[in-house]
Amino acid sequence: MSQTNRVYSGGCIDRSKPLNFSYNGKTYQGFDGDTLASALLANGVDIVGRSFKYSRPRGIVAAGSEEPNAILQMGASEATQVPNVRATQQELFDGLVCHSAKGWPSSDFDMMGLLGKVGGKMMPPGFYYKTFMYPQTMWRTYEKYIRKAAGIGRSPTQADPDIYDNFNQHTDVLIVGAGPAGLAAALSAARSGARVIFADEQAKMGGALLFSRELINGRPAMEWVEETLTELRQYRDVLMLPRATVNGYHDHNFLTIHQRCTDHIADKAPGGQIRQRLYRIRAKWVVLATGAHERTLVFGNNDVPGCMQASAVSTYINQYGVVPGKQLVLMTTNDNAYQAAFDWQDSGRDVVAIVDTRSQPQGEKVQQAHLRGLNVITGSAVIEVKGSKRVSAVLVACINLDGTRVVGEAKTIKCDTIASSGGWSPAVHLSCHTGSRPQWKEDVLGFVPGDTIQQQLTAGAIKGTYSLSKCLQEGFSAGQEAAIKSGFTDVGNHEIPTVERLTEEATMPLFHIPHTLATSRAPKQFVDYQTDVTAAGIELATREGFESIEHIKRYTAMGFGTDQGKLGNINGMAIAAKCMNKSIPETGTTIFRPNYTPVTFGAIAGRNCNDLFDPKRYTPMQQWHVEHGALFEDVGLWKRAWYYPKQGESMLDAVNRECKATRESVGILDASTLGKIDIQGQDAREFISRVYTNAWAKLAVGKCRYGLMCGEDGMIFDDGVTSCLAENHFIMTTTTGGAARVLSWLELYHQTEWPELEVYFNTVTDQWSTMTISGPNARKLLAEVCHDIDLDRDNFKFMDWRQGTVAGVPARIFRISFTGELSYEINVQANYGLEVWQALQAQGKKYNLTPYGTETMHVLRAEKGFIIVGQDTDGSVTPMDLGMGWCVSNKKPFSYIGKRGMNREDCLRSGRKQLVGLKTKDANVVIPEGSQAVADPHQAIPMTMLGHVTSSYYSECLQRSIAMGVIIGGLDRMGETVYYPQADGRVIEAEICSPVFLDPKGDRQNV
C-alpha cells in the first residue's frame, strides 16, 4: 500500500503509526495525524465524488471547512452511517470506512455523468422551473426522478449507538479561532484573570501557522504556538476546545459550539465516551478571530480533479507531508500564493510555471521566485484546463491590464496540478448571524464585519489583516479590551512577538478569468463547486431580470451547499456586479445564517432522546397514588392520577363515587402539575395586563383573578388564575400541558415586543406541590390542619389567598374553585407535599375525604360549565364564542394580545361556532366526544355539519348525561334540537341549553 504522494519527512504526522482505512471498498494506508483528505491525496486518489447537477468528477480543492467536493459517506456498519462528512475535517483512524456520496455505479465511472455531458446545456439555472411544469399530470413522475437524483449521502436505517451531550456555560470572553490572532487574544484575556473559552474547528491549535514557514521571535511559528498553549493550560479559568466549530452566533452573545469529541478515535465512540457535544455559551464579550478563506479563481474547467487552492497545497505539504501531484502550475493575483510554489519545489517536485495575472509584480516573494529559477509568466492567466478525471495540461494566455479579456494567443503547458489564488475572503459568517451586514473593503478586496450591537470585537484576517505581525498585535489588543470591558483591570503590558515583515504588492482585483470564447460558449467556469453554479449561469440570471444578489443566489443556488459558498460567493457577486455594471458594494452580499458547518442531529438532541426525549414527570404524591390503586393518564409529560378504582369498580363506578363524595362532603385532587410561573418586576402588573384579555391594574395584594390568554389572532390558547403576592409580584397558573408554551410566549413578547418593561419570569411548577380540597366540608377539614389563618367566609373570601401553615408546613392557600364547590388550593414546598397530603388524609377520615382524579375533575367542572383549553377550544374560538365576553376588557390604556385579531370581520360575523350545553333526550345516553351535529339526520351524505361535541360525561349528581359542544350560532339557539349520527347507525338527539348544569348562581362555592 504505497503512498505515492507522501514525502519522507516533515509535517505533523506520526509515520511510526500507520493507519488502514477503506474508501469505496478499497483499502489504503495513512498515518496518525492525517485527515481523510490528506490520506486520500497521499494515496493518489483523484476523484472523491461527483458534482450535484452535472455529475462531473470532482477532486479535493481545499484543506478546511471550505472544502466543497470531498463530502463522503462514513460508517463501517448501518448503525454508524453518517452522511456528508467533510474529508478535510475528518481525522483518520484505523479501520475508518467511507464511500463517495454520489456516483453510480461508482464515482470513477458515473452513468449520470454521461447525462451531464450530453444534456448539460439543457440544465441552466431555473431549468426545473421551466421544464417540469407541463403537463401537470406528469408532475408525480417528474418528482420521483428529481428526488432520486437530488441529495447527497443517505441516512442510517438503524439506531445510532452513540451518546451525545449538551453543555451550558457562561464565560467572560469567548474567542472564536485559535490562529495567531485568536491565541494572542486568549493569552492577553487569560492573564487578566478573566474566564476564557476559545474554540477552533481544527484538531490542532494554530490556524494558518500549522502550515506556515514564518518565524516568530526568530524560531518556527509552531514553537510559539506550543509555548502559548502551555501557558494557557496553566490558567484554571481557561477552557480550550479543539475540534470545536462555533456554528451559531445569536442575540445577547449566545453562541453554539459543535465539538467532535471522539470522531477521530473510531467509528463508534469507545464505551462510556461522548461522540459529540453541543456547547451553549453565554459570553460577556466575544472576540472573532475566524481568519479568512482563500478564493480560487474562476476559469474554464476549473473543477477538474487537480485544481486546488494555493494555500491548500501548502497545507498538505507542510502539515501532512503530502504533495498532491508531480507537476504544478500556480496561477495567482497576489504575492502570498507564491509560497505554494516554493513549498512544492522544496518537496522535490516540479514547478512548471507561476502564472501571475499582474503585469509587473515586484514583491519580495516574486524576486525570490526568480532567484529560485522558477518560470514566472506575468500579465497572463490560465484560461482553461485540459483533462477529464485529472488535470493533464492548461491553456495560458496573456490578458489585458484589468483582466477583462484575452489579448494573446493561448499556449499549452503540461501539468497535473493547478493551484490558484484570487486573494482572501474574510470569514465573516458568524458576524452576520445576528443581522450585521458585511461591508466591502476595497484594499482588502473582501467583505469585513459591519457594525453590530453585540458585545463583539474582531482581530486578524477577519478584518482583512493578513500580516502576521499585525494579526498578533490585533489579537493581544482585542483580548485585553474584552477583558477590561468584562470588568478585569489587571491586564498589564504584553510584549508583542517579533515577526519578519515581507514587502508584498497589492492583490489584483480579478475574480473571473476571461476566455477567448464568450462565457456562455467557453468551457464551464465554476463559481460554486458544490451546486454546479457557473459564471455563465450567473450572467444568465442577470439577463433574465434578477438584480438582487439574494434573488440571484436563490435562482442559481449559489452558496446553497453545505459549504455555504465559502469559496465562491465573492466571485459570484463580482461576476453579477460586472454583468449589471455595478460595483461590488452596490451589488452587496448575501447574509449568512447558522449553521456555519453542518451539525449532526445527535449533537443537537444531546441526551434528550429515548426516555429523556419524552420524560415521565411525577408529583411528590406519586407513590401514594400507586399504593392506593390509582390508574394514570398522560397530561403533557406528567403522569396524573386518572381515577381510583376500588375492588370490582368500573371506571364509571369509580368516577361516580368520587363525584358524589366531593359534592356531598369533601374530595382531594393532586393539582401539582398545574403550570406555575413566578412573575416579578416593577412592570409585572402592566405586562400581565397586556397578555391577558381582562383588566389587572386594580388587582390588590391577596387577591386572585381568572384570565384568558389569546394569540395574535384573537383565539384562546390558555387560561388560568393569577394571584397578586405583592405589589410587583405575581404567581400565574396555567394549564398542565400549556406551561412550557406559556412561559415561552411570555419570554417571546418580553424580549421582542416589550423589552423596555422590567419584568422577570421563572417557572416554579416543580418547586410547589399543590393539593385541592373541594366540597361542603372543605373548610372544616382545612381547619383541622391550619390554625394560623382565619378561614371565616367573610375574612377569607372566594378568589382570596392567604399565607400560613398547613400541618406545620409553610403554605400558600388560594380560595379558588374548578369544581363549583367550596374549595381551597394548598401550595407547599414540593419536598413537603407528601407529608401534607398524608396529614390531610389522616384528618379527613371523619369527613370521608375521597381522592379523585382527572376524570372526576372533568365531570365536576363540566357540571359547572368550566372550559378546558385544548378540549373545549381548538385554536379557532374567541372568548365571545365561548360566551366569555365578560373576561375581555376593551378599556385598558394599552392594548392586549389578540385584541385586533378578535375584532377582525370574520371573528365578528354571525354564524360562528359557539359553546353551548347539550342535554340528550335520553338521559342515560352519553354522546361520544367529537360527534358531529346536524339539523336533519335524514339529509343525504355529505350532511351539513353544525358543530361537534367537545366534552361529554355522565353526571352522578344530576343523574343524567351532560355535554358541551360548539354549534353554529349556538348562543341564539337555546332550546333547539340537534342530532348526532353515529358510525353504528344510531342517531342521538340532544337539546341545546346553557353549559352551566349545576348551581348557576354559584352559591356552593361562596358558602
Side-chain angles (χ1 to χ4, degrees), residues 547-548 574 576-587:
E547 297 181 354
S548 164
K578 180 182 176 184
C579 293
M580 296 185 290
N581 293 316
K582 294 181 178 179
S583 66
I584 294 179
E586 289 173 331
T587 304

Side-chain angles (χ1 to χ4, degrees), residues 433 454 588 763 828 900 989:
H433 288 181
Q454 306 302 319
T763 175
V828 297
R900 292 180 65 186
E989 191 175 348

Side-chain angles (χ1 to χ4, degrees), residues 112 132 139-150:
M112 287 293 291
F132 299 113
W139 169 246
R140 293 294 182 190
T141 303
Y142 297 149
E143 184 182 31
K144 175 182 175 182
Y145 289 100
I146 290 171
R147 290 190 179 280
K148 187 175 181 180

Side-chain angles (χ1 to χ4, degrees), residues 39 53 80 120 170 186 207 228 407 467 500 546 608 639 645 672 688 729 772 784 863 874 913 977 1003:
K53 188 160 71 172
T80 58
H170 286 77
T228 301
V407 295
S467 157
E500 181 185 2
F546 293 94
N608 298 315
K639 293 290 184 182
S672 303
I688 291 171
H729 188 186
T772 299
E784 301 276 358
E863 290 172 345
D874 61 359
K913 291 181 180 179
T977 298
D1003 294 335

